[in-house]
Amino acid sequence: MHASVARRTLGTLIPPKVATPAAVTGGTGAAMARVVDFYSKLPKGPAPAAASTGLKARFFDGKNASGGPLVVAMLTLFGFGYTIDYNMHLKHHKNHHH
């Protein structure tokens, strides 16, 4: 991976450079006001619970949790495999009777 790709990927994880050492220790109150203003806008408290959607939330989480979709997926795969095997067996009998 190139350095620029890694820097771009990790760029979203690094907070903006608002609280530079010069702004915090400097004599200007305007620079420190920028730092205070930035941090005062951040949300307070725990993060809200993400609304879970999709198949996992519908079938495996909550009060309607069941293993039904897993059983259906297994039966579908079995039926698909059996159909392929049966058709290959018919092709075998087409030319080679036993």
Side-chain angles (χ1 to χ4, degrees), residues 1 26 31 36 41 45 52 63 77-78 85 88 91:
M1 181 162 39
V36 171
K41 291 179 183 176
S52 57
K63 63 180 181 176
L77 289 173
F78 174 76
D85 191 42
M88 291 298 157
K91 286 182 183 179

Side-chain angles (χ1 to χ4, degrees), residues 1-81:
M1 181 162 39
H2 298 290
S4 61
V5 174
R7 191 176 305 121
R8 215 174 341 181
T9 305
L10 296 175
T12 59
L13 298 175
I14 300 169
K17 293 185 180 182
V18 177
T20 60
V24 175
T25 60
T28 62
M32 190 62 187
R34 281 184 46 227
V35 174
V36 171
D37 182 50
F38 173 75
Y39 283 105
S40 67
K41 291 179 183 176
L42 293 176
K44 316 257 186 310
S52 57
T53 59
L55 293 176
K56 183 178 181 296
R58 185 180 298 165
F59 295 113
F60 297 111
D61 295 338
K63 63 180 181 176
N64 293 329
S66 73
L70 188 62
V71 172
V72 169
M74 290 170 59
L75 290 174
T76 302
L77 289 173
F78 174 76
F80 187 68

Side-chain angles (χ1 to χ4, degrees), residues 81-96:
Y82 183 80
T83 303
I84 290 174
D85 191 42
Y86 183 75
N87 284 322
M88 291 298 157
H89 186 77
L90 289 179
K91 286 182 183 179
H92 166 76
H93 277 287
K94 180 178 174 183
N95 297 322
H96 305 286

